[in-house]
Structures are given as structure tokens and as C-alpha cells.
Amino acid sequence: MRTLYFITSNKGKFLEAKEKLLPLGFSVVQKDLGYPEVQAESLEDVALQGITHVRMGFHEPFMLEDAGLFIEALHGFPGVYSKYVFFTIGLPGILRLLSGVKERKAIFRSVYAYSEPRKKPIIVFGECKGIISMKKQGTHGFGYDPIFIPDCAEKTFGEMTVEEKNQFSHRAKALEKLINVLKDSK
Ligand code: ITT
């Protein structure tokens, strides 16, 4: 069994990865080491700078993930600022910004970055298209889940079980890609 550290403060992300990677012979261990989420222009830059920072003090294989919500009518806001915006104006603030706006398309994006000592990091992407609902619906999940309805679904992520969300989610798609790369590299 190979040990793979997941550098994250988010328990939900960890549990999802653990379940998916166990059958492939990876024992995933959560490490909440924290890394500076620098003000960057892309999720990939945030993830790569996270890798560089963690690598300085940690010498085992690890992965980390960065995600964000990009709203078309707001020119991609909150995007790389999703965490800050969630803890400041929050869901009511986003709904206010979109009040009276009919075009409510949005995309969740996820970037997984995987690092092994002395090797180039592996970067994979996943996205999930959908719309911002008119009001908060559901209490499951975290972050923007109660206001995001993925395409081909009738309800928000906040109204879905983890298994249902995983059928659509940006993070599950990115993780699938990472798993395929890791499988090939075994
Ligand atoms: P890390 O320690 O792994 O960074 P985090 O919870 O801070 O965990 P991110 O920086 O990747 O996660 O995510 C930034 C914000 O984007 C997060 O605080 C949520 O508000 C939002 N977000 C990301 N993925 C989401 C999802 O699947 N559903 C709802 N909101 C999400």
C-alpha cells in the first residue's frame, strides 16, 4: 500500500479522495499543513505555488486541490477569490449581485496538483457547468453548494448526497483524471 498525503483543511475533500484511491492501493492521509493561498490569476497558479511551498518542508508524495466558482455575468467573479468572498459577502451577497439578472451561468473549476520528490508536479483539471439558483436551497455540502444547480440536474448541490454530487462535480472529475495518471505510473 502506497501512502499519499493530501494537504487540505477540508475534511470533505479528504474523504472523497480516500474512498476513491483506496482500491488502487493508495492509503490517503490528511495533513492540514496549511499553505499560503497566494493572490494569483488562476487556480493552477495557486496550486503550483502551494506545491512549491509544501515541498520546502515536506518530502513525501502528496497532493493538494484548489477550486473556485466562476460566474459568467460577474465576469468570472468570485473565481480565485471564492474562499474570501464566501467568508465575506457570502451566499446572500452573491444572490444580491445577481438580483434581476436572468443569465445565471456559472462554472465550478477544480485543479488537483500531485507532487513526488525530484519529479515535475502533475496537474489535472475538472469542471462542472451549471447555473446560480434564485435562492439558497438545501443544507448539504459546503461553500456555494446551496446556490449551484449543475446542468442536467433539477436541484442544487446543497440538495444532493455526496454520491449524487460526485456524479457531476468538478472535483470528482479532476480526481478521476489524477487516478488515471497514477494508475499508469504504478
Ligand atoms: P483547502 O484547505 O484544500 O484549500 P478549502 O475549503 O479552503 O480547502 P478551496 O480553497 O479549494 O478549499 O476552495 C475555495 C472556496 O471555493 C471554498 O471555500 C468554497 O467556498 C468554494 N468551493 C470550492 N469547491 C466547492 C464545492 O465543491 N462546493 C461548494 N463550494 C466550493
Side-chain angles (χ1 to χ4, degrees):
M1 182 79 69
R2 284 157 76 182
T3 300
L4 174 55
Y5 292 94
F6 191 0
I7 315 297
T8 180
S9 60
N10 189 316
K11 188 97 182 160
K13 287 186 185 182
F14 161 67
L15 292 174
E16 182 191 319
K18 184 180 166 182
E19 184 201 296
K20 291 212 174 201
L21 287 164
L22 194 62
L24 292 173
F26 289 93
S27 150
V28 183
V29 177
Q30 181 179 10
K31 278 240 172 226
D32 187 1
L33 291 180
Y35 55 90
E37 292 200 14
V38 288
Q39 197 164 329
E41 285 194 7
S42 71
L43 298 176
E44 184 180 359
D45 285 347
V46 177
L48 281 171
Q49 297 200 37
I51 288 260
T52 305
H53 180 86
V54 174
R55 267 186 169 189
M56 286 191 289
F58 191 71
H59 309 292
E60 303 288 337
F62 68 86
M63 61 185 186
L64 51 80
E65 192 256 4
D66 199 51
L69 177 67
F70 298 74
I71 299 173
E72 205 173 282
L74 303 179
H75 307 282
F77 182 84
V80 289
Y81 309 106
S82 293
K83 190 170 186 169
Y84 178 75
V85 169
F86 179 75
F87 287 112
T88 51
I89 64 171
L91 304 187
I94 293 289
L95 291 175
R96 253 194 321 274
L97 288 173
L98 289 178
S99 102
V101 176
K102 288 207 178 69
E103 178 48 73
R104 302 176 79 87
K105 282 188 196 154
I107 302 183
F108 260 127
R109 294 201 169 97
S110 161
V111 176
Y112 261 99
Y114 171 81
S115 163
E116 272 185 43
R118 295 174 300 281
K119 287 194 184 165
K120 204 168 160 254
I122 295 166
I123 303 287
V124 290
F125 303 87
E127 62 175 42
C128 175
K129 292 184 179 166
I131 55 164
I132 302 299
S133 57
M134 301 303 286
K135 57 183 173 61
K136 268 173 74 174
Q137 288 164 210
T139 53
H140 295 170
F142 64 98
Y144 299 92
D145 281 345
I147 60 165
F148 183 83
I149 304 174
D151 284 352
C152 305
E154 308 273 292
K155 54 188 179 180
T156 67
F157 274 164
E159 295 172 291
M160 295 185 187
T161 62
V162 176
E163 288 71 26
E164 283 177 299
K165 181 180 169 185
N166 277 345
Q167 288 169 21
F168 301 96
S169 100
H170 47 307
R171 185 168 305 102
K173 286 179 190 152
L175 185 58
E176 293 286 346
K177 288 188 192 164
L178 180 61
I179 286 170
N180 285 333
V181 177
L182 294 179
K183 251 195 239 164
D184 294 343
S185 73
K186 262 172 98 178

